[in-house]
Amino acid sequence: MTRTVSIFGSTGSIGQNTIDLIRRDREAYDVEVLTGGRNIERLAADARDLGARLAVTCHDDLLDDLKAALSGTGVEAAAGEAALVEAADRPVDWTMSAIVGAAGLVPGLRALAHGKTLALANKESLVTAGALLMRTAEAHGARILPVDSEHSAVFQALVGEDIEAVERIVITASGGAFRDWPLEKLATATLEQASSHPNWDMGQRITIDSASMFNKALELIETKEFFGVSPDRIETLVHPESLVHALVGFRDGAFMAHVGAPDMRHAIGYALHWPERRELPVERLDLAAIGQLTFRAPDLARYPALRLARIVMEQGGLWGAAFNAAKERALDGFIAGEIGFLGMAEVVEEVLDGLSSDTGAMNGEVTLDRVHAADHLARIRAAEAITRKQAR
């Protein structure tokens, strides 16, 4: 039976890998919506090839370009944030949420209202509004399937298991581009150096987040929100080979590990075919040739983002929204050359310190309006912190 699907963030690495799998079984899927950013050529080409009904760019100024690229195809074109939300209101069986950043939250929430399946690659949705997202899914009888490789690994390790029997969840990290750099050299790390990942082929922002370990900080918070475990049961290990994606430890002392090549089609394919496990076009590991797998504890002096994530997990409430917003603004600052590599964590910590006394803004029920308010406030505070750093 043909399934209807929409892909939000189709021009990014997750979206392109999703499209790759859909193309391999083209007759099984009916594509409703594809959305992207500034890569209009890619968005239009995929929409034409897959026969999508609607293509949306989040940039209003590119609507005419998208219309021109889709002229004569019968594919509808739209642009802007409102168009993204309206696209999510189109009911489908399966939605991929792969928009990067907090912008993916509202489309994901709207997609859940149809009571179907949301494949969640947008970790910021759970970080900023985990309680709201899970409540929404439950209220509409919808299912959220994790697509982050680490959380998909945990999800798979828990099949048939009782979450109450889980003693610890270990999220692995490659360590990013600077895992073996001398600490004193990090202050001089350039944008180009931070944009190169040793194991994964990802977009620039995610790659920089890997180098700073902010991506892993978000994943720790995401683990707490999705699986409902306490922060003291969530751990991180640096695993340079990126073959063990996560481990789940049980109260009998056993570990269940998910092992596979560093290929996002593992997690995407699992979510796309769930509850079945189908053949995927990914590398089969030769463990004898690999020889060994290595692990080490993360150095918190090298990765202060992990320490900050612990604070956020303990605080709960709207702290995740503020953390993510400050991180996104700090990342913008690094990309723009406003601050150095180490300045990103310094800005985020300054924002969190400043908000610690603002209990009215940071505590209480997680609603969409309050998430947006915390996000807005944190971005303002982060911009101010960047300005102060530039003035020194």
Side-chain angles (χ1 to χ4, degrees):
M1 185 174 67
T2 302
R3 297 167 67 202
T4 53
V5 301
S6 290
I7 305 173
F8 286 76
S10 69
T11 57
S13 61
I14 299 294
Q16 287 297 293
N17 278 306
T18 305
I19 287 173
D20 174 69
L21 293 179
I22 287 174
R23 281 198 177 107
R24 293 169 187 270
D25 193 13
R26 185 65 193 88
E27 297 305 312
Y29 303 101
D30 184 9
V31 179
E32 180 71 23
V33 176
L34 296 181
T35 82
R38 294 197 171 277
N39 192 345
I40 297 300
E41 183 179 353
R42 178 76 273 155
L43 176 60
D46 289 336
R48 289 194 303 267
D49 181 50
L50 296 176
R53 293 182 179 84
L54 171 66
V56 182
T57 170
C58 60
H59 300 286
D60 292 284
D61 59 309
L62 295 179
L63 178 58
D64 289 342
D65 292 344
L66 182 58
K67 285 183 175 179
L70 292 172
S71 178
T73 66
V75 180
E76 183 183 352
E81 292 185 14
L84 282 176
V85 174
E86 290 170 7
D89 282 333
R90 296 191 177 204
V92 294
D93 298 316
W94 189 89
T95 300
M96 167 58 77
S97 174
I99 296 174
V100 176
L105 173 59
V106 174
L109 286 170
R110 298 294 277 265
L112 285 171
H114 304 305
K116 299 294 185 177
T117 298
L118 180 69
L120 188 63
N122 173 258
K123 59 174 61 70
E124 291 85 357
S125 293
L126 278 168
V127 170
T128 61
L132 175 60
L133 202 74
M134 301 307 281
R135 283 201 314 268
T136 302
E138 183 177 5
H140 295 282
R143 178 181 296 108
I144 301 175
L145 296 176
V147 176
D148 262 352
S149 59
E150 297 81 1
H151 301 92
S152 176
V154 174
F155 186 85
Q156 293 180 53
L158 287 173
V159 171
E161 302 288 351
D162 182 353
I163 191 68
E164 295 302 318
V166 173
E167 198 170 67
R168 55 207 285 223
I169 293 176
V170 180
I171 302 297
T172 60
S174 70
F178 305 138
R179 67 187 174 210
D180 299 316
W181 276 36
L183 280 175
E184 62 271 14
K185 189 180 176 183
L186 290 178
T188 64
T190 67
L191 176 60
E192 182 179 4
Q193 290 168 330
S195 301
S196 177
H197 195 281
N199 299 341
W200 296 88
D201 181 16
M202 306 180 292
Q204 183 189 50
R205 296 179 72 85
I206 299 174
T207 303
I208 296 170
D209 278 349
S210 176
S212 66
M213 212 71 118
F214 265 110
N215 73 320
K216 210 55 51 178
L218 295 177
E219 288 168 12
L220 293 177
I221 302 167
E222 188 180 2
T223 301
K224 176 201 170 194
E225 297 295 336
F226 188 83
F227 297 103
V229 296
S230 59
D232 62 319
R233 291 196 284 165
I234 304 170
E235 306 171 21
T236 312
L237 281 176
V238 174
H239 170 52
E241 295 85 3
S242 292
L243 299 178
V244 177
H245 303 301
L247 305 99
V248 177
F250 296 92
R251 61 188 172 200
D252 61 0
F255 259 136
M256 298 282 278
H258 181 283
V259 185
D263 188 326
M264 283 305 302
R265 290 177 297 181
H266 273 296
I268 296 167
Y270 188 83
L272 184 62
H273 301 139
W274 189 89
E276 297 180 33
R277 189 183 288 273
R278 298 185 189 174
E279 183 177 346
L280 293 173
V282 299
E283 178 189 354
R284 271 54 176 173
L285 296 181
D286 182 343
L287 294 178
I290 292 166
Q292 64 180 2
L293 302 173
T294 59
F295 304 90
R296 62 177 185 254
D299 180 356
L300 297 187
R302 183 183 300 274
Y303 303 119
L306 298 180
R307 174 176 53 81
L308 298 176
R310 293 284 170 191
I311 297 171
V312 172
M313 286 194 291
E314 292 293 343
Q315 294 285 353
L318 295 159
W319 282 84
F323 177 77
N324 179 73
K327 188 276 298 182
E328 288 188 5
R329 180 61 186 89
L331 177 57
D332 290 340
F334 175 61
I335 292 173
E338 298 171 335
I339 55 175
F341 179 77
L342 295 179
M344 290 187 287
E346 293 168 355
V347 165
V348 174
E349 184 161 18
E350 187 173 333
V351 171
L352 294 182
D353 286 345
L355 290 172
S356 61
S357 60
D358 198 343
T359 55
M362 302 310 300
N363 298 330
E365 184 180 5
V366 178
T367 66
L368 188 57
D369 285 345
R370 297 195 75 215
V371 167
H372 285 157
D375 178 287
H376 181 66
L377 178 59
R379 288 178 194 274
I380 292 173
R381 298 284 181 88
E384 293 170 348
I386 289 171
T387 299
R388 284 193 293 272
K389 290 183 74 65
Q390 289 178 301
R392 291 170 190 157

